[in-house]
Amino acid sequence: MVENRPWLTFLTHFVLICGVVIVVFPVYIALIASTHGPTALSSGMMPLLPGAELWNNVVQVLTEERRGVAPFWLMAWNSLWMAIIITVGKIAISIISAYAIVYFRFPGRVLAFWLIFITLMLPVEVRIIPTFAVVANLGMLNSYLGLTIPLIASATATFLFRQFFMTVPDELMEAARVDGAGPVKFFRDILLPLSRTNIAALCVILFIYGWMQYLWPLLVTTDPKYYTLMMGVKRMAAVADADPQWNTIMAAVVMAMLPPVLIVIFMQRLFVKGLVETEK
């Protein structure tokens, strides 16, 4: 039971406001920096109010060619393609594997689940050298396959779908069987519609995961036409014999933030519903 005391309400709101300020302030600085010219940011005093150069900075990011950096639209396309493939692939593999683990009785079923579950302790960052060696031996460096395939399996999504399928009443499966529905029809017509909120919630999480990838694309790509936005922003800041153009870099950062923000805004209702509710 939570006590309803004024000082406790004040404390919780104070902590919440402090957390919001800490999270939002760097984003605010990026937004402000993207609206000023290069001289305003190189003077040593960071302006805290918006300027009037946002459109010029955006046009410069979209049209200017930089040495060692791919065009912005190409990097955005690579990031979008990578995020979509990883999202669709992870959900497809996870939901099918969870369906097999929960609804099919075969030898080693429990062992298979625990082997998948153990991979939670082996993210790509831990097994990055052998994974890179496999990708290199298969000739997938500098390719979309190399960017996406090693990141496409997900033990977390498999676990979440398994937990959800275990809450579906057995009577539903028996009723479908009585009506003549086979495994494919039961999966397609009953389980998939029931899982739509879980799928939507995972879509948001996995899209942001794929969009924000930096280390793995940095390892497997040396051709600029496969660079992603995260790599591009880093390379825009790492210029030699000159000061970084922070106004255009921040404009690129703001534009790179837009797709994940839009995904969260438009799928917020399904995202929250998929995490807190269970439809059956």
Side-chain angles (χ1 to χ4, degrees):
M1 182 177 178
V2 179
E3 297 183 10
N4 187 15
R5 296 182 178 179
W7 69 269
L8 189 58
T9 303
F10 172 80
L11 178 63
T12 54
H13 281 78
F14 177 76
V15 172
L16 179 62
I17 292 172
C18 289
V20 170
V21 170
I22 292 172
V23 172
V24 171
F25 187 70
V27 180
Y28 176 76
I29 291 297
L31 286 171
I32 295 299
S34 68
T35 62
H36 287 274
T39 55
L41 302 178
S42 60
S43 62
M45 295 293 291
M46 179 65 205
L48 295 178
L49 295 176
E53 298 293 327
L54 176 62
W55 179 247
N56 292 333
N57 293 335
V58 170
V59 171
Q60 191 174 347
V61 170
L62 295 176
T63 58
E64 188 179 49
E65 294 185 2
R66 298 169 185 265
R67 185 178 179 182
V69 180
F72 184 87
W73 63 268
L74 179 59
M75 294 188 295
W77 168 255
N78 291 338
S79 292
L80 180 65
W81 182 250
M82 185 177 177
I84 291 176
I85 294 298
I86 289 175
T87 302
V88 174
K90 277 180 178 288
I91 290 178
I93 293 174
S94 301
I95 197 169
I96 292 174
S97 58
Y99 178 58
I101 290 171
V102 174
Y103 288 98
F104 290 83
R105 301 293 183 265
F106 57 89
R109 178 172 64 96
V110 177
L111 177 63
F113 167 72
W114 283 109
L115 287 176
I116 295 173
F117 189 77
I118 288 173
T119 61
L120 281 173
M121 293 179 283
L122 298 171
V124 174
E125 290 77 9
V126 174
R127 50 183 167 83
I128 198 161
I129 294 178
T131 305
F132 175 81
V134 172
V135 170
N137 291 333
L138 292 176
M140 294 195 299
L141 297 178
N142 289 317
S143 69
Y144 290 119
L145 289 177
L147 282 171
T148 56
I149 293 297
L151 306 177
I152 214 166
S154 174
T156 305
T158 304
F159 177 74
L160 292 176
F161 280 123
R162 173 187 177 267
Q163 297 305 108
F164 171 70
F165 290 161
M166 291 179 69
T167 65
V168 176
D170 293 337
E171 291 79 6
L172 199 59
M173 183 181 64
E174 295 297 331
R177 186 178 298 168
V178 170
D179 288 341
V184 175
K185 186 175 179 60
F186 175 69
F187 176 74
R188 184 191 60 205
D189 295 343
I190 297 177
L191 280 186
L192 275 183
L194 288 176
S195 308
R196 65 181 185 278
T197 53
N198 304 76
I199 293 174
L202 282 172
C203 276
V204 175
I205 297 171
L206 297 177
F207 182 88
I208 296 175
Y209 168 82
W211 182 267
M212 299 300 294
Q213 284 297 314
Y214 171 71
L215 180 59
W216 181 250
L218 184 66
L219 282 176
V220 299
T221 58
T222 54
D223 189 340
K225 71 178 182 179
Y226 292 105
Y227 285 177
T228 61
L229 269 184
M230 302 304 114
M231 297 174 61
V233 170
K234 175 65 174 64
R235 287 175 180 272
M236 289 171 68
V239 293
D241 303 327
D243 293 329
Q245 298 295 314
W246 289 110
N247 57 323
T248 56
I249 294 172
M250 290 299 110
V253 168
V254 171
M255 286 191 286
M257 285 192 299
L258 287 179
V261 170
L262 292 176
I263 289 288
V264 172
I265 291 175
F266 287 113
M267 299 188 68
Q268 182 183 13
R269 186 178 62 84
L270 287 173
F271 176 68
V272 175
K273 197 173 182 180
L275 293 180
V276 302
E277 294 183 3
T278 303
E279 290 186 356
K280 298 189 286 293

